[in-house]
Amino acid sequence: MANTPQPDTRERIVRAASLLMQRQGYEGTGIKQVAQEAAATLGSVYHFFPGGKQALGVAAVQHADQEFADMLSTSLSADADPAKAIAACARALADHLRDSAWMDGCPISATALETTGRVPDIEQAVAQAFQHWRDLVADTLREAGFPEGDARDLSLTVISTLEGAELTAQVSKSEKPLVVAGEHLARLIDSYKA
């Protein structure tokens, strides 16, 4: 049996912070709690993040951005038809949310809402994450032959709709908002096809 490499201390800290911030938000997540969750010392957290909680928060948002981007890329590349790929992405989000007992919605929304206008570094990391996700959708649409303007506008609509549907699904503890949003996004995308 091959040994699976264990994440290093910094990675454990960032992962723990990301998960806790996803579930509790930035304000509700303390550095001591992150250290405990990561099985790390408080000194280790400050060693890797001398800027304290804010620096750790930025790293956690960047980690969450990449995790969601990886899932989004996998979903978008699973079908050559972008409409079907978006519907499948919404279904995958619904499945993940259900499987987490409705705990793990958007990895950055709680942090985004708490820090906007108050913590510029985290606000910037959140804005970059949303742009990253829109770029992934726009790239998929451009590759499928959509004109630049349509690809850009549709990507904004897709990410905004999925974000709202994910929050609604989490609050209502139902997959339906995401599934319905995915179906309607697919119809919207189909309506733009030449």
Side-chain angles (χ1 to χ4, degrees):
M1 180 186 280
N3 287 337
T4 304
Q6 296 298 312
D8 65 14
T9 303
R10 183 185 189 285
E11 186 178 348
R12 286 195 327 269
I13 292 167
V14 171
R15 284 181 181 183
S18 181
L19 180 63
L20 289 168
M21 286 169 51
Q22 177 181 23
R23 292 180 173 180
Q24 303 171 174
Y26 177 74
E27 297 297 333
T29 299
I31 289 191
K32 287 181 183 177
Q33 183 185 22
V34 171
Q36 189 174 35
E37 188 73 22
T41 66
L42 199 54
S44 293
V45 176
Y46 285 108
H47 168 75
F48 290 111
F49 300 99
K53 184 176 177 179
Q54 189 170 340
L56 177 57
V58 169
V61 168
Q62 291 168 339
H63 173 80
D65 167 19
Q66 192 56 54
E67 274 195 339
F68 187 79
D70 291 346
M71 186 281 305
L72 187 59
S73 293
T74 299
S75 293
L76 293 173
S77 64
D79 198 307
D81 180 344
K84 290 179 182 174
I86 294 296
C89 180
R91 177 80 250 174
L93 289 171
D95 291 345
H96 174 76
L97 190 54
R98 181 200 61 235
D99 292 348
S100 75
W102 312 105
M103 295 288 295
D104 297 336
C106 174
I108 63 171
S109 62
T111 298
L113 292 172
E114 288 180 337
T115 59
T116 297
R118 296 185 325 99
V119 188
D121 290 347
I122 294 177
E123 184 177 0
Q124 181 180 5
V126 166
Q128 289 170 343
F130 282 124
Q131 185 61 55
H132 184 198
W133 303 343
R134 289 190 302 268
D135 289 346
L136 290 170
V137 174
D139 290 346
T140 297
L141 294 169
R142 277 192 295 273
E143 289 169 14
F146 286 73
E148 176 62 31
D150 289 346
R152 190 179 55 251
D153 292 349
L154 283 168
S155 72
L156 178 61
T157 302
V158 165
I159 294 302
S160 297
T161 302
L162 290 176
E163 285 296 311
E166 191 168 36
L167 178 60
T168 305
Q170 188 172 14
V171 169
S172 64
K173 294 182 175 40
S174 169
E175 300 166 44
K176 188 173 181 175
L178 274 162
V179 173
V180 169
E183 290 168 358
H184 284 273
L185 285 170
R187 288 169 61 187
L188 176 64
I189 290 167
D190 277 338
S191 76
Y192 276 77
K193 290 180 182 172

